[in-house]
Each structure stands twice: as structure tokens, then as C-alpha cells.
Coordinates of all heavy atoms in Angstrom, one line a residue:
M555 N 0.9 -1.2 0.0 CA 0.0 0.0 0.0 C 0.9 1.2 0.0 O 1.9 1.3 0.6 CB -0.9 0.0 1.2 CG -1.8 1.2 1.3 SD -3.0 1.1 2.7 CE -4.2 0.1 2.0
Y556 N 0.5 2.3 -0.7 CA 1.2 3.5 -0.8 C 0.7 4.4 0.3 O -0.3 5.0 0.3 CB 1.0 4.2 -2.2 CG 1.8 5.4 -2.4 CD1 3.2 5.3 -2.5 CD2 1.2 6.7 -2.4 CE1 4.0 6.5 -2.7 CE2 2.0 7.8 -2.6 CZ 3.3 7.7 -2.7 OH 4.1 8.8 -2.9
Y557 N 1.6 4.6 1.4 CA 1.2 5.3 2.6 C 1.4 6.8 2.5 O 0.8 7.5 3.3 CB 1.9 4.7 3.8 CG 1.4 3.4 4.2 CD1 2.0 2.2 3.9 CD2 0.2 3.3 5.0 CE1 1.5 1.0 4.2 CE2 -0.3 2.1 5.4 CZ 0.3 0.9 5.0 OH -0.2 -0.3 5.4
N558 N 2.2 7.3 1.6 CA 2.4 8.7 1.6 C 1.2 9.5 1.3 O 1.0 10.6 1.9 CB 3.5 9.1 0.5 CG 4.9 8.8 0.9 OD1 5.1 8.6 2.1 ND2 5.8 8.8 0.0
S559 N 0.2 9.0 0.6 CA -1.0 9.7 0.3 C -1.9 9.7 1.6 O -2.7 10.6 1.7 CB -1.8 9.1 -0.8 OG -2.1 7.8 -0.5
K560 N -1.7 8.8 2.5 CA -2.5 8.7 3.7 C -1.9 9.4 4.9 O -2.5 9.7 5.9 CB -2.8 7.2 4.1 CG -3.6 6.5 3.1 CD -3.9 5.1 3.7 CE -4.9 4.4 2.8 NZ -5.6 3.4 3.5
L561 N -0.6 9.6 4.8 CA 0.2 10.1 6.0 C 0.0 11.6 6.1 O 0.8 12.3 5.5 CB 1.6 9.6 5.9 CG 2.4 9.7 7.2 CD1 1.8 8.9 8.3 CD2 3.8 9.2 6.9
R562 N -0.9 12.0 7.0 CA -1.0 13.4 7.3 C -0.6 13.5 8.8 O -0.5 12.5 9.5 CB -2.5 13.8 7.2 CG -3.1 13.6 5.8 CD -2.6 14.7 4.9 NE -3.1 14.6 3.5 CZ -2.5 14.2 2.5 NH1 -1.2 13.7 2.6 NH2 -3.0 14.1 1.3
L563 N -0.4 14.7 9.2 CA 0.1 15.0 10.6 C -0.8 14.3 11.7 O -0.2 13.7 12.6 CB 0.2 16.4 10.9 CG 1.5 17.1 10.3 CD1 1.5 18.6 10.6 CD2 2.7 16.5 10.7
D564 N -2.1 14.4 11.6 CA -2.9 13.8 12.6 C -2.8 12.3 12.6 O -2.7 11.7 13.7 CB -4.4 14.3 12.5 CG -5.0 14.0 11.1 OD1 -4.2 13.8 10.1 OD2 -6.2 13.9 11.0
F565 N -2.8 11.7 11.4 CA -2.6 10.2 11.3 C -1.2 9.8 11.8 O -1.1 8.8 12.5 CB -2.9 9.8 9.9 CG -2.8 8.3 9.7 CD1 -3.6 7.4 10.4 CD2 -2.0 7.7 8.7 CE1 -3.6 6.1 10.3 CE2 -1.9 6.4 8.6 CZ -2.7 5.5 9.3
A566 N -0.2 10.6 11.4 CA 1.2 10.2 11.8 C 1.3 10.3 13.3 O 1.9 9.4 14.0 CB 2.1 11.2 11.2
K567 N 0.7 11.3 14.0 CA 0.7 11.4 15.4 C 0.0 10.2 16.1 O 0.5 9.6 17.0 CB 0.1 12.7 15.9 CG 0.1 12.8 17.4 CD -0.4 14.1 17.9 CE -0.4 14.2 19.4 NZ -0.1 13.1 20.3
T568 N -1.1 9.8 15.5 CA -1.8 8.6 16.0 C -1.0 7.3 15.9 O -0.9 6.6 16.9 CB -3.1 8.4 15.2 OG1 -4.0 9.5 15.3 CG2 -3.9 7.1 15.7
L569 N -0.3 7.1 14.8 CA 0.6 6.0 14.6 C 1.8 6.1 15.6 O 2.1 5.1 16.3 CB 1.2 5.9 13.2 CG 0.2 5.6 12.1 CD1 0.8 5.7 10.8 CD2 -0.4 4.2 12.4
F570 N 2.3 7.3 15.8 CA 3.4 7.5 16.7 C 3.0 7.1 18.1 O 3.7 6.4 18.8 CB 3.9 8.9 16.6 CG 5.1 9.2 17.5 CD1 6.4 9.1 16.9 CD2 5.0 9.6 18.8 CE1 7.5 9.3 17.7 CE2 6.2 9.8 19.5 CZ 7.4 9.7 19.0
D571 N 1.9 7.7 18.6 CA 1.4 7.4 19.9 C 1.1 6.0 20.2 O 1.2 5.5 21.3 CB 0.2 8.3 20.2 CG 0.5 9.8 20.3 OD1 1.7 10.1 20.5 OD2 -0.4 10.6 20.2
K572 N 0.6 5.3 19.1 CA 0.2 3.9 19.3 C 1.4 2.9 19.3 O 1.4 2.0 20.1 CB -0.7 3.5 18.1 CG -1.3 2.1 18.2 CD -2.3 1.8 17.1 CE -2.8 0.4 17.2 NZ -3.8 0.2 16.1
Y573 N 2.4 3.2 18.5 CA 3.5 2.2 18.4 C 4.8 2.6 18.9 O 5.7 1.7 19.0 CB 3.6 1.9 16.9 CG 2.4 1.2 16.3 CD1 1.6 1.9 15.4 CD2 2.1 -0.1 16.6 CE1 0.5 1.3 14.9 CE2 1.0 -0.7 16.1 CZ 0.2 0.0 15.2 OH -0.9 -0.6 14.7
L574 N 5.0 3.8 19.3 CA 6.4 4.3 19.8 C 6.3 4.8 21.2 O 5.4 5.5 21.5 CB 6.9 5.3 18.8 CG 7.2 4.9 17.4 CD1 7.6 6.0 16.5 CD2 8.2 3.8 17.3
V575 N 7.3 4.4 22.0 CA 7.4 4.9 23.3 C 8.8 5.3 23.5 O 9.8 4.6 23.2 CB 7.0 3.8 24.3 CG1 7.3 4.3 25.8 CG2 5.6 3.3 24.2
V576 N 9.0 6.5 24.1 CA 10.3 7.0 24.3 C 10.7 6.6 25.7 O 10.0 6.9 26.7 CB 10.4 8.6 24.1 CG1 11.8 9.1 24.4 CG2 10.0 8.9 22.7
N577 N 11.9 6.1 25.9 CA 12.4 5.6 27.1 C 12.5 6.8 28.1 O 13.0 7.9 27.8 CB 13.8 5.0 26.9 CG 14.4 4.5 28.1 OD1 14.6 5.2 29.1 ND2 14.8 3.2 28.1
S578 N 12.0 6.6 29.4 CA 12.0 7.6 30.4 C 13.4 8.2 30.7 O 13.5 9.4 31.0 CB 11.3 7.2 31.6 OG 12.0 6.1 32.2
E579 N 14.4 7.4 30.6 CA 15.8 7.8 30.8 C 16.2 8.9 29.8 O 16.9 9.8 30.1 CB 16.8 6.7 30.9 CG 16.6 5.8 32.1 CD 17.6 4.6 32.0 OE1 18.5 4.6 31.3 OE2 17.3 3.7 32.8
I580 N 15.8 8.6 28.5 CA 16.1 9.6 27.5 C 15.3 10.9 27.7 O 15.9 12.0 27.5 CB 15.8 8.9 26.1 CG1 16.8 7.8 25.8 CG2 15.8 10.0 25.0 CD1 16.6 7.0 24.6
L581 N 14.1 10.8 28.0 CA 13.3 12.0 28.3 C 13.9 12.8 29.5 O 14.0 14.0 29.4 CB 11.8 11.6 28.7 CG 11.0 11.0 27.5 CD1 9.6 10.5 28.0 CD2 10.8 12.0 26.4
D582 N 14.4 12.1 30.5 CA 15.0 12.8 31.6 C 16.3 13.5 31.1 O 16.6 14.6 31.5 CB 15.4 11.8 32.7 CG 14.2 11.3 33.5 OD1 13.1 11.9 33.3 OD2 14.3 10.3 34.1
E583 N 17.1 12.8 30.3 CA 18.3 13.4 29.8 C 18.0 14.7 28.9 O 18.7 15.7 29.0 CB 19.1 12.4 28.9 CG 20.4 12.9 28.5 CD 21.2 11.8 27.7 OE1 21.0 10.6 28.0 OE2 22.1 12.2 26.9
V584 N 17.0 14.6 28.1 CA 16.6 15.7 27.3 C 16.1 16.9 28.1 O 16.5 18.0 27.9 CB 15.4 15.3 26.3 CG1 14.8 16.5 25.6 CG2 16.0 14.4 25.2
D585 N 15.3 16.6 29.2 CA 14.9 17.6 30.1 C 16.1 18.3 30.8 O 16.1 19.5 30.9 CB 13.9 17.0 31.1 CG 12.6 16.7 30.6 OD1 12.2 17.2 29.5 OD2 11.8 15.9 31.2
H586 N 17.0 17.5 31.2 CA 18.2 18.0 31.9 C 19.0 18.9 30.9 O 19.4 20.0 31.3 CB 19.1 16.9 32.4 CG 20.3 17.3 33.1 ND1 20.2 17.7 34.4 CD2 21.6 17.3 32.7 CE1 21.5 18.0 34.8 NE2 22.3 17.8 33.8
F587 N 19.2 18.4 29.7 CA 20.0 19.2 28.7 C 19.2 20.5 28.4 O 19.9 21.6 28.3 CB 20.1 18.4 27.4 CG 20.9 19.1 26.3 CD1 22.3 19.1 26.3 CD2 20.2 19.9 25.4 CE1 23.0 19.7 25.3 CE2 20.9 20.6 24.4 CZ 22.3 20.5 24.3
T588 N 17.9 20.5 28.2 CA 17.1 21.7 27.9 C 17.2 22.7 29.1 O 17.4 23.9 28.9 CB 15.7 21.3 27.7 OG1 15.6 20.3 26.6 CG2 14.8 22.5 27.4
R589 N 17.1 22.2 30.3 CA 17.2 23.1 31.5 C 18.5 23.7 31.5 O 18.6 24.9 31.8 CB 16.9 22.2 32.7 CG 15.9 22.7 33.6 CD 15.7 22.0 34.9 NE 16.4 20.7 35.1 CZ 15.9 19.5 34.8 NH1 14.7 19.4 34.3 NH2 16.7 18.4 34.9
D590 N 19.6 23.0 31.3 CA 21.0 23.5 31.5 C 21.4 24.4 30.3 O 22.2 25.3 30.5 CB 22.0 22.3 31.5 CG 21.9 21.5 32.8 OD1 21.3 22.0 33.7 OD2 22.6 20.5 32.8
N591 N 20.8 24.3 29.2 CA 21.2 25.0 28.0 C 20.3 26.0 27.4 O 20.7 27.0 26.8 CB 21.6 24.0 26.9 CG 22.8 23.2 27.3 OD1 24.0 23.7 27.2 ND2 22.6 22.0 27.7
F592 N 19.0 25.8 27.7 CA 18.0 26.7 27.0 C 17.2 27.6 28.0 O 16.4 28.4 27.5 CB 17.0 25.9 26.1 CG 17.7 25.1 25.1 CD1 17.2 23.9 24.6 CD2 18.9 25.5 24.4 CE1 17.8 23.1 23.6 CE2 19.5 24.8 23.5 CZ 18.9 23.6 23.1
S593 N 17.2 27.3 29.2 CA 16.4 28.0 30.2 C 16.5 29.5 30.1 O 17.6 30.0 30.1 CB 16.7 27.6 31.6 OG 16.2 26.3 31.8
N594 N 15.4 30.2 30.0 CA 15.3 31.6 29.9 C 16.1 32.2 28.7 O 16.5 33.4 28.8 CB 15.8 32.2 31.2 CG 15.0 31.8 32.4 OD1 13.7 31.7 32.3 ND2 15.6 31.4 33.5
K595 N 16.2 31.5 27.7 CA 16.9 32.0 26.5 C 16.0 31.9 25.3 O 15.2 31.0 25.2 CB 18.2 31.2 26.2 CG 19.3 31.4 27.3 CD 20.5 30.6 26.9 CE 21.5 30.8 28.0 NZ 22.5 29.7 28.1
K596 N 16.2 32.8 24.4 CA 15.5 32.8 23.1 C 16.3 32.1 22.1 O 17.4 32.5 21.8 CB 15.2 34.3 22.6 CG 14.5 35.2 23.6 CD 13.1 34.7 23.8 CE 12.4 35.7 24.7 NZ 11.2 35.2 25.3
V597 N 15.8 30.9 21.7 CA 16.7 30.0 20.9 C 16.1 29.8 19.5 O 14.9 29.6 19.3 CB 16.7 28.6 21.6 CG1 17.6 27.6 20.9 CG2 17.2 28.7 23.1
L598 N 17.0 29.8 18.5 CA 16.6 29.4 17.2 C 17.1 28.0 17.0 O 18.3 27.7 17.1 CB 17.4 30.3 16.1 CG 17.3 29.9 14.7 CD1 15.8 29.9 14.2 CD2 18.1 30.8 13.8
G599 N 16.2 27.1 16.7 CA 16.5 25.7 16.5 C 16.6 25.5 15.0 O 15.7 25.8 14.2
V600 N 17.7 24.8 14.6 CA 17.9 24.5 13.1 C 18.1 23.0 13.0 O 19.0 22.5 13.7 CB 19.1 25.2 12.6 CG1 19.4 24.8 11.1 CG2 19.0 26.7 12.7
H601 N 17.2 22.4 12.3 CA 17.3 20.9 12.0 C 17.6 20.7 10.5 O 16.7 20.9 9.7 CB 16.0 20.2 12.4 CG 16.1 18.7 12.3 ND1 15.0 18.0 12.2 CD2 17.1 17.9 12.2 CE1 15.3 16.7 12.1 NE2 16.6 16.6 12.1
Y602 N 18.8 20.4 10.2 CA 19.2 20.2 8.8 C 19.4 18.7 8.6 O 20.3 18.1 9.2 CB 20.6 20.9 8.6 CG 21.0 20.8 7.1 CD1 20.5 21.6 6.1 CD2 21.9 19.8 6.8 CE1 21.0 21.5 4.8 CE2 22.3 19.7 5.5 CZ 21.9 20.5 4.5 OH 22.3 20.4 3.2
R603 N 18.6 18.1 7.7 CA 18.7 16.7 7.4 C 19.4 16.6 6.0 O 18.9 17.2 5.1 CB 17.3 16.1 7.4 CG 16.8 16.0 8.8 CD 15.4 15.4 8.8 NE 15.5 14.0 8.6 CZ 14.5 13.1 8.7 NH1 13.3 13.6 9.0 NH2 14.7 11.8 8.5
G604 N 20.4 15.9 6.0 CA 21.2 15.8 4.8 C 21.2 14.4 4.2 O 20.4 14.0 3.4
T605 N 22.1 13.6 4.7 CA 22.4 12.3 4.2 C 21.2 11.3 4.2 O 21.0 10.6 3.2 CB 23.5 11.5 4.9 OG1 23.2 11.5 6.3 CG2 24.9 12.3 4.7
D606 N 20.4 11.4 5.2 CA 19.2 10.5 5.2 C 18.0 11.0 4.4 O 17.1 10.3 4.2 CB 18.8 10.2 6.7 CG 18.1 11.4 7.3 OD1 18.4 12.6 6.9 OD2 17.3 11.2 8.2
K607 N 18.1 12.1 3.8 CA 17.0 12.7 3.0 C 17.4 12.8 1.5 O 16.6 13.2 0.7 CB 16.6 14.0 3.5 CG 15.7 13.9 4.8 CD 14.5 13.1 4.4 CE 13.5 13.1 5.5 NZ 12.3 12.3 5.2
K608 N 18.7 12.5 1.2 CA 19.1 12.6 -0.2 C 18.2 11.8 -1.1 O 17.9 10.6 -0.9 CB 20.5 12.2 -0.4 CG 21.5 13.2 0.2 CD 22.9 12.7 0.0 CE 23.8 13.8 0.6 NZ 25.2 13.3 0.7
G609 N 17.7 12.4 -2.1 CA 16.8 11.8 -3.1 C 15.3 12.0 -2.7 O 14.4 11.8 -3.6
E610 N 15.0 12.3 -1.5 CA 13.6 12.5 -1.1 C 13.2 13.9 -1.3 O 12.0 14.2 -1.5 CB 13.4 12.1 0.4 CG 13.3 10.6 0.6 CD 12.9 10.3 2.1 OE1 12.0 11.0 2.6 OE2 13.6 9.4 2.6
A611 N 14.1 14.8 -1.0 CA 13.8 16.2 -1.1 C 15.1 16.9 -1.6 O 16.2 16.4 -1.4 CB 13.5 16.8 0.3
P612 N 14.9 18.1 -2.2 CA 16.1 18.8 -2.7 C 17.0 19.3 -1.5 O 16.5 19.8 -0.5 CB 15.6 20.0 -3.5 CG 14.1 20.0 -3.2 CD 13.7 18.8 -2.6
L613 N 18.3 19.1 -1.6 CA 19.2 19.5 -0.6 C 19.4 21.0 -0.7 O 19.5 21.6 -1.8 CB 20.5 18.8 -0.7 CG 20.7 17.5 -0.1 CD1 22.0 16.8 -0.4 CD2 20.5 17.6 1.4
I614 N 19.5 21.6 0.5 CA 19.9 23.1 0.5 C 21.4 23.1 0.9 O 21.8 22.4 1.8 CB 19.0 23.8 1.6 CG1 17.6 23.7 1.2 CG2 19.5 25.2 1.8 CD1 16.7 24.2 2.3
S615 N 22.1 23.9 0.2 CA 23.5 24.0 0.4 C 23.8 24.6 1.8 O 23.0 25.4 2.3 CB 24.2 24.8 -0.7 OG 23.9 26.2 -0.5
K616 N 25.0 24.3 2.3 CA 25.3 24.9 3.6 C 25.4 26.4 3.5 O 25.1 27.1 4.5 CB 26.6 24.3 4.2 CG 27.8 24.5 3.3 CD 29.0 23.7 3.9 CE 30.3 23.9 3.1 NZ 30.4 23.0 2.0
E617 N 25.8 26.9 2.3 CA 25.9 28.4 2.1 C 24.5 29.0 2.2 O 24.3 30.1 2.8 CB 26.6 28.7 0.8 CG 28.0 28.3 0.8 CD 28.3 26.9 0.4 OE1 27.3 26.1 0.1 OE2 29.4 26.4 0.5
R618 N 23.5 28.3 1.5 CA 22.1 28.8 1.5 C 21.5 28.8 2.9 O 20.8 29.7 3.4 CB 21.3 28.0 0.5 CG 19.9 28.6 0.3 CD 20.0 29.9 -0.5 NE 18.7 30.4 -0.8 CZ 18.3 31.6 -0.5 NH1 19.2 32.5 -0.1 NH2 17.1 32.0 -0.7
L619 N 21.8 27.7 3.6 CA 21.3 27.5 5.0 C 21.9 28.7 5.9 O 21.1 29.3 6.6 CB 21.8 26.2 5.6 CG 21.4 25.9 7.0 CD1 19.9 25.9 7.2 CD2 22.1 24.6 7.5
F620 N 23.1 29.0 5.7 CA 23.7 30.1 6.4 C 23.0 31.4 6.1 O 22.8 32.2 7.0 CB 25.2 30.2 6.1 CG 26.0 31.2 6.9 CD1 26.3 30.9 8.2 CD2 26.4 32.4 6.3 CE1 27.0 31.9 9.0 CE2 27.1 33.3 7.1 CZ 27.4 33.1 8.4
E621 N 22.7 31.6 4.9 CA 21.9 32.8 4.5 C 20.6 32.9 5.2 O 20.1 33.9 5.6 CB 21.8 32.9 3.0 CG 23.0 33.1 2.2 CD 22.9 33.0 0.7 OE1 21.7 33.0 0.2 OE2 23.9 32.9 0.0
Y622 N 19.9 31.8 5.2 CA 18.6 31.7 5.8 C 18.7 32.0 7.3 O 17.9 32.8 7.9 CB 17.9 30.3 5.7 CG 17.4 30.0 4.4 CD1 17.6 28.7 3.8 CD2 16.6 30.9 3.6 CE1 17.1 28.4 2.5 CE2 16.1 30.6 2.4 CZ 16.3 29.3 1.9 OH 15.8 29.0 0.6
I623 N 19.7 31.4 8.0 CA 19.9 31.7 9.4 C 20.2 33.2 9.7 O 19.6 33.8 10.6 CB 21.0 30.8 10.0 CG1 20.5 29.3 10.0 CG2 21.4 31.2 11.4 CD1 21.6 28.3 10.3
N624 N 21.0 33.7 8.8 CA 21.4 35.2 9.0 C 20.1 36.0 8.8 O 19.9 37.0 9.5 CB 22.5 35.6 8.0 CG 23.8 35.4 8.6 OD1 24.0 35.4 9.8 ND2 24.8 35.1 7.8
A625 N 19.3 35.7 7.8 CA 18.1 36.5 7.6 C 17.2 36.4 8.8 O 16.6 37.4 9.2 CB 17.4 36.0 6.4
I626 N 17.0 35.2 9.4 CA 16.2 35.1 10.6 C 16.7 35.9 11.7 O 16.0 36.6 12.5 CB 16.0 33.6 11.0 CG1 15.2 32.9 9.9 CG2 15.4 33.4 12.3 CD1 15.2 31.4 10.0
L627 N 18.1 35.8 11.9 CA 18.7 36.6 13.0 C 18.5 38.1 12.8 O 18.4 38.8 13.8 CB 20.2 36.2 13.1 CG 20.5 34.8 13.5 CD1 22.0 34.5 13.5 CD2 19.9 34.5 14.9
Q628 N 18.6 38.6 11.6 CA 18.4 40.0 11.3 C 17.0 40.4 11.7 O 16.7 41.6 12.1 CB 18.7 40.3 9.8 CG 20.1 40.2 9.5 CD 21.0 41.0 10.3 OE1 20.8 42.2 10.5 NE2 22.1 40.4 10.9
E629 N 16.0 39.6 11.4 CA 14.6 39.9 11.7 C 14.2 39.7 13.2 O 13.2 40.2 13.6 CB 13.7 39.0 10.8 CG 13.8 39.3 9.4 CD 13.0 38.3 8.5 OE1 12.2 37.6 9.1 OE2 13.2 38.3 7.3
N630 N 15.0 38.9 13.9 CA 14.7 38.6 15.3 C 15.9 38.8 16.2 O 16.6 37.9 16.6 CB 14.3 37.1 15.4 CG 13.1 36.7 14.5 OD1 12.0 36.9 15.0 ND2 13.3 36.3 13.3
K631 N 16.1 40.1 16.4 CA 17.3 40.5 17.2 C 17.3 40.0 18.6 O 18.3 40.0 19.3 CB 17.4 42.1 17.2 CG 17.5 42.7 15.8 CD 18.8 42.6 15.3 CE 18.9 43.4 14.0 NZ 20.1 43.2 13.2
H632 N 16.2 39.5 19.1 CA 16.1 39.1 20.5 C 16.7 37.6 20.7 O 16.8 37.2 21.8 CB 14.6 39.1 21.0 CG 13.8 38.2 20.2 ND1 13.3 38.5 18.9 CD2 13.3 36.9 20.4 CE1 12.5 37.5 18.5 NE2 12.5 36.6 19.3
L633 N 16.9 36.9 19.6 CA 17.5 35.6 19.7 C 18.9 35.6 20.3 O 19.7 36.4 20.0 CB 17.5 34.9 18.3 CG 16.1 34.6 17.7 CD1 16.3 34.1 16.3 CD2 15.4 33.5 18.6
E634 N 19.1 34.7 21.3 CA 20.3 34.6 22.0 C 21.2 33.4 21.7 O 22.4 33.4 22.0 CB 20.0 34.6 23.5 CG 19.2 35.7 24.0 CD 18.7 35.4 25.4 OE1 19.6 35.5 26.3 OE2 17.5 35.2 25.7
L635 N 20.6 32.4 21.1 CA 21.3 31.1 20.9 C 20.8 30.4 19.7 O 19.6 30.5 19.4 CB 21.1 30.2 22.2 CG 21.7 28.9 22.3 CD1 23.2 29.0 22.4 CD2 21.1 28.1 23.5
I636 N 21.7 29.7 19.0 CA 21.3 28.9 17.9 C 21.7 27.5 18.2 O 22.8 27.1 18.6 CB 22.1 29.3 16.6 CG1 21.9 30.7 16.2 CG2 21.7 28.3 15.4 CD1 22.7 31.2 15.1
F637 N 20.7 26.6 18.1 CA 20.9 25.2 18.4 C 20.7 24.4 17.1 O 19.7 24.5 16.4 CB 19.8 24.7 19.4 CG 20.0 23.2 19.7 CD1 21.0 22.7 20.5 CD2 19.1 22.3 19.1 CE1 21.1 21.4 20.7 CE2 19.2 20.9 19.4 CZ 20.2 20.5 20.2
V638 N 21.8 23.7 16.6 CA 21.8 23.0 15.4 C 21.8 21.5 15.6 O 22.6 21.0 16.3 CB 23.0 23.4 14.5 CG1 23.0 22.7 13.2 CG2 23.1 24.9 14.3
S639 N 20.8 20.9 14.9 CA 20.8 19.4 14.9 C 20.9 19.0 13.5 O 20.2 19.4 12.6 CB 19.4 19.0 15.5 OG 19.3 17.6 15.4
T640 N 21.9 18.1 13.2 CA 22.2 17.7 11.9 C 22.9 16.4 11.8 O 23.6 16.0 12.8 CB 23.0 18.7 11.1 OG1 23.1 18.3 9.7 CG2 24.3 19.0 11.7
D641 N 22.8 15.7 10.7 CA 23.6 14.5 10.5 C 24.8 14.8 9.6 O 25.5 13.9 9.1 CB 22.7 13.4 9.9 CG 22.1 13.8 8.5 OD1 22.1 14.9 8.2 OD2 21.6 12.9 7.8
E642 N 25.0 16.0 9.3 CA 26.0 16.5 8.4 C 27.1 17.2 9.1 O 27.0 18.4 9.5 CB 25.5 17.4 7.3 CG 24.5 16.8 6.3 CD 25.2 15.9 5.3 OE1 26.4 16.2 5.0 OE2 24.5 15.1 4.7
T643 N 28.2 16.5 9.4 CA 29.3 17.1 10.1 C 29.9 18.3 9.4 O 30.2 19.4 10.1 CB 30.4 16.1 10.3 OG1 29.9 14.9 11.0 CG2 31.6 16.6 11.2
Q644 N 30.0 18.3 8.1 CA 30.5 19.4 7.3 C 29.6 20.7 7.5 O 30.1 21.8 7.6 CB 30.6 19.1 5.9 CG 31.7 18.1 5.6 CD 31.8 17.7 4.1 OE1 30.9 17.9 3.4 NE2 33.0 17.1 3.8
V645 N 28.3 20.5 7.5 CA 27.4 21.6 7.7 C 27.6 22.2 9.1 O 27.7 23.4 9.2 CB 25.9 21.2 7.5 CG1 25.0 22.3 7.9 CG2 25.7 20.8 6.0
L646 N 27.7 21.4 10.1 CA 27.8 21.9 11.5 C 29.2 22.6 11.6 O 29.2 23.7 12.2 CB 27.8 20.7 12.4 CG 27.9 21.0 13.9 CD1 26.7 21.9 14.3 CD2 27.9 19.8 14.7
Q647 N 30.2 22.1 11.0 CA 31.5 22.8 11.1 C 31.5 24.1 10.3 O 32.0 25.1 10.8 CB 32.6 21.9 10.5 CG 32.9 20.7 11.4 CD 33.9 19.7 10.8 OE1 34.1 19.7 9.6 NE2 34.4 18.8 11.6
Y648 N 30.8 24.1 9.2 CA 30.7 25.4 8.4 C 29.9 26.4 9.2 O 30.3 27.6 9.2 CB 30.0 25.1 7.1 CG 29.8 26.3 6.2 CD1 30.8 26.8 5.4 CD2 28.5 26.9 6.2 CE1 30.6 27.9 4.6 CE2 28.3 28.0 5.4 CZ 29.4 28.5 4.6 OH 29.2 29.6 3.8
L649 N 28.8 26.1 9.8 CA 28.0 27.0 10.5 C 28.8 27.5 11.7 O 28.7 28.7 12.1 CB 26.7 26.4 11.0 CG 25.7 26.1 9.8 CD1 24.5 25.4 10.4 CD2 25.3 27.3 9.0

């Protein structure tokens, strides 16, 4: 069956809640990290997916990503921190 046509956010959440459980130790670690690093700060979160999405979606170059981030920072002067999550070491080092 071709699921992409059926997979909408509400249905995806239903599937997630039904079949996936996040280990409480991991949730505790995330809470601790968040408290230690993000408390009382205005944070820009950047999630750049590269290697695992090649072929599914057009890749954005690291230079273009940098331009997007700078544009957001110019429009939002109150931001204090950038948090980057990526599977691309080169992109992280570039940023």
C-alpha cells in the first residue's frame, strides 16, 4: 500500500502514539539538557537533514542555510542562541 497519500500529521501522530514509546531515561536526559542550555533564552532551532534525505527532497547547500539563518537573525534581534541538529558534520563545522 502507498502510505504517503494517507500520511497526514494527525494520522502520523496517531501512529506514533500507538506504536512508539520514548524511554523515560532519554526523556530525563533531554529535560536536563534543555534546562541546562535553554532556560530563559530565546533559541533558534535549526534541524538540517542531509544524508538520510538525499533523493527524497532537494538539498539546501550549507551556504544557503547560512543565508537563511542570518536572515532570521536579522529579523529577530532578540534571539540569544542557535541550536543546530544535523547528520552532516560538514554543515555543522561550516555554521
